[in-house]
């Protein structure tokens, strides 16, 4: 694999990770739901005013839990945006459900709420609202559709921790929200995730599913005198060592977000004229959305210009990447009936989007180099 002077992402450390991991070892509890897992739960529940947060092994597994919680099975359909991460759809297919791909909006690249209703059938079990780049989907409209049809809305909030929609925290608006703490996210423990359970009726089952189908959580709270196998599920608890790492990051959230905000705003400020001259577009954040400064992307004019741009950056030792091939056109997507032209906006933006290096410890000088390299592009 090539190495780049300025990579696209580098994991960043908040400072207390090693100390907390040593403490977890000293405490002698390094499996799931130890001291640090509980501390992460408490921090997130308080910060988000969330009813229940459960750390999971990753966001994909939190999405899988949402498939169980909404009763997905081989007879179900789940509406997902086509412009999405693979596991936004995969998580439901492992339960046998069929993903039904919706197109995205041209401004925020989020699921286009105006096209959702016509995708609903009597089999629809859930609508997945992925907040792309942590900029909220039009949740009022999606929740209204969900309410009218009796279909739960799940938030894939992998990008959007600490972002808001009309003053409300993302991840707390749907029946459940899912978070990622993968290395590429604002807050990380390498691999990790969380399920935010907002519907009180789902809390007990979520705990059971995550604990290998047992009522161990009740046992640990002294509510039953022995625990036993009561339901389906799997083992989705992260080690307390990972939770220790994560706590250090979450505690530093103000500092991390301030740095990311600075980087994001500088990219915007210093690239806005260049973007206009080249017929490219910078990210759009509606006034009613508070974003989490998760990523910085540019929508190029067309694929050829994007390819020239990526090569231009690469020649200067800078890695710029694109992502999300439309899911309906993937090999698996086609098996679920995906056809070219089905989601034209997803197809279009997927062919034009490029992301710039963006991580907590991107230095001012490094960012200056990226900006200078972009300015030197005239293609
Ligand atoms: C939108 C979205 N959903 C889900 C995931 C899966 O997250 P994880 O790697 O924690 O399973 C990602 C990962 O980047 C993502 O971007």
């Amino acid at each position: 694999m090539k190495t780049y002077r300025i990579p696209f992402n580098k994991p960043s450390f908040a400072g207390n990770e090693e100390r907390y991991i040593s403490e977890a070892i000293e405490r002698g509890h390094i499996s799931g739901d130890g001291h640090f897992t509980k501390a992460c739960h408490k921090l997130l529940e308080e910060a988000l005013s969330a009813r229940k947060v459960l750390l999971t092994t990753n966001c994909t597994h939190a999405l899988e839990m949402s498939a169980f919680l909404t009763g997905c099975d081989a007879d179900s359909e789940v509406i997902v945006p086509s412009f999405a991460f693979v596991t936004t759809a995969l998580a439901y297919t492992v339960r046998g459900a069929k993903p039904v791909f919706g197109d995205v909006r041209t401004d925020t690249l989020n699921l286009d709420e105006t096209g959702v209703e016509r995708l609903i059938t009597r089999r629809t079990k859930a609508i997945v609202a992925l907040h792309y780049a942590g900029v909220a989907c039009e949740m009022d409209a999606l929740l209204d559709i969900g309410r009218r049809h009796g279909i739960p809305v799940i938030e894939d909030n992998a990008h959007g921790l600490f972002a808001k929609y009309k003053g409300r925290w993302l991840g707390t608006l749907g029946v459940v929200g899912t978070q990622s703490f993968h290395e590429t996210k604002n807050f990380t423990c390498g691999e990790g995730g969380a399920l935010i359970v907002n519907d009180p009726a789902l809390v007990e089952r979520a705990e059971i599913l995550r604990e290998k189908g047992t009522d161990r959580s009740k046992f640990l709270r002294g509510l039953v005198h022995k625990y036993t196998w009561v339901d389906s599920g799997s083992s989705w608890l992260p080690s307390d060592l990972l939770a220790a790492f994560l706590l250090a990051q979450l505690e530093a959230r103000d500092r991390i977000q301030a740095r990311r905000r600075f980087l994001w705003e500088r990219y915007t400020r210093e690239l806005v004229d260049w973007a206009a001259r080249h017929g490219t577009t910078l990210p759009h954040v509606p006034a009613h959305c508070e974003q989490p400064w998760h990523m910085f992307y540019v929508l190029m004019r067309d694929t050829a210009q994007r390819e020239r741009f990526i090569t231009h950056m690469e020649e200067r030792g800078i890695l710029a990447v694109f992502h999300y091939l439309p899911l309906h056109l993937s090999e698996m997507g086609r098996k679920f009936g995906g056809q070219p032209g089905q989601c034209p906006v997803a197809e279009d933006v997927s062919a034009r989007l490029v992301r710039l290096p963006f991580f907590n410890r991107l230095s001012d000088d490094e960012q200056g180099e990226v900006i200078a390299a972009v300015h030197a592009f005239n293609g």
Side-chain angles (χ1 to χ4, degrees):
M1 229 167 82
K2 260 198 189 138
T3 52
Y4 291 83
R5 217 159 25 78
I6 305 183
F8 164 69
N9 180 63
K10 256 190 221 172
S12 306
F13 306 97
N16 279 334
E17 287 88 347
E18 287 181 43
R19 188 159 73 77
Y20 286 181
I21 287 175
S22 302
E23 196 186 319
I25 294 168
E26 278 158 28
R27 282 173 177 273
H29 180 134
I30 59 167
S31 59
D33 280 346
H35 170 81
F36 286 99
T37 307
K38 286 182 189 140
C40 288
H41 289 170
K42 184 165 181 290
L43 183 151
L44 288 169
E45 282 165 8
E46 285 176 4
L48 303 173
S49 304
R51 181 174 297 274
K52 186 78 188 170
V53 174
L54 294 168
L55 289 195
T56 57
T57 27
N58 52 55
C59 182
T60 300
H61 287 159
L63 288 163
E64 275 183 50
M65 288 178 73
S66 78
F68 273 94
L69 289 169
T70 50
C72 284
D73 59 22
D75 208 28
S76 311
E77 292 176 356
V78 176
I79 298 173
V80 297
S82 173
F83 187 66
F85 193 67
V86 168
T87 63
T88 308
L90 172 77
Y92 304 93
T93 65
V94 297
R95 301 287 308 139
K98 176 186 172 196
V100 174
F101 301 107
D103 207 355
V104 294
R105 295 171 57 108
T106 51
D107 54 359
T108 56
L109 319 187
N110 284 328
L111 183 63
D112 183 351
E113 68 284 356
T114 63
V116 167
E117 218 151 359
R118 66 181 169 77
L119 302 177
I120 293 175
T121 70
R122 58 173 189 82
R123 294 170 183 238
T124 309
K125 275 282 167 57
I127 299 166
V128 183
L130 188 181
H131 306 301
Y132 182 69
V135 175
C137 293
E138 281 311 316
M139 289 305 287
D140 282 348
L142 289 174
L143 291 169
D144 180 56
I145 293 169
R147 249 188 313 269
R148 280 190 285 107
H149 293 268
I151 299 169
V153 176
I154 294 161
E155 294 177 79
D156 179 347
N157 196 33
H159 302 170
L161 185 57
F162 303 130
K164 287 183 175 173
Y165 171 76
K166 299 188 178 173
R168 290 137 74 203
W169 297 107
L170 296 196
T172 67
L173 305 173
V175 281
V176 295
T178 66
Q179 303 296 151
S180 175
F181 300 116
H182 182 263
E183 186 176 286
T184 48
K185 302 300 183 288
N186 296 23
F187 310 93
T188 181
C189 55
E191 298 277 357
L195 183 77
I196 304 176
V197 190
N198 303 311
D199 179 348
L202 299 180
V203 171
E204 187 176 330
R205 181 140 197 255
E207 287 183 337
I208 290 169
L209 293 170
R210 176 172 168 270
E211 271 278 20
K212 306 146 186 89
T214 73
D215 55 358
R216 186 163 178 271
S217 298
K218 266 186 169 168
F219 169 73
L220 293 177
R221 284 200 293 271
L223 298 176
V224 289
H225 66 278
K226 59 181 171 33
Y227 72 91
T228 184
W229 184 17
V230 294
D231 198 345
S232 190
S234 190
S235 184
W236 286 310
L237 286 74
S239 157
D240 216 48
L241 294 172
L242 288 174
F245 193 105
L246 181 64
L247 183 67
Q249 300 245 324
L250 293 174
E251 284 179 346
R253 62 192 177 283
D254 290 344
R255 177 160 47 91
I256 289 172
Q257 295 299 71
R259 177 67 190 158
R260 296 184 77 98
R261 177 179 188 160
F262 172 85
L263 293 169
W264 200 97
E265 289 181 340
R266 182 175 173 206
Y267 269 145
T268 304
R269 205 172 47 245
E270 299 193 20
L271 293 180
V272 69
D273 293 341
W274 170 87
R277 275 200 312 280
H278 288 80
T280 69
T281 318
L282 302 185
H284 171 71
V285 184
H288 56 277
C289 298
E290 287 170 49
Q291 64 144 322
W293 325 105
H294 174 56
M295 71 166 84
F296 197 89
Y297 65 83
V298 183
L299 279 171
M300 305 300 284
R301 263 195 328 265
D302 51 36
T303 312
Q305 189 196 35
R306 178 176 73 180
E307 295 320 304
R308 288 196 301 277
F309 180 81
I310 290 174
T311 306
H312 167 91
M313 299 301 274
E314 190 175 322
E315 283 165 2
R316 286 155 183 78
I318 299 167
L319 179 59
V321 300
F322 63 87
H323 74 165
Y324 293 169
L325 299 173
L327 292 182
H328 70 285
L329 295 182
S330 65
E331 209 174 310
M332 277 299 279
R334 284 174 192 262
K335 288 187 184 156
F336 290 110
Q339 306 257 352
Q342 182 182 330
C343 300
V345 181
E347 289 171 34
D348 174 52
V349 295
S350 158
R352 296 193 290 121
L353 186 140
V354 63
R355 296 169 67 184
L356 299 182
F358 196 77
F359 46 91
N360 307 353
R361 61 184 168 124
L362 182 69
S363 70
D364 290 355
D365 286 350
E366 285 171 327
Q367 190 184 26
E369 272 192 61
V370 177
I371 291 168
V374 175
H375 281 155
F377 178 75
N378 276 314

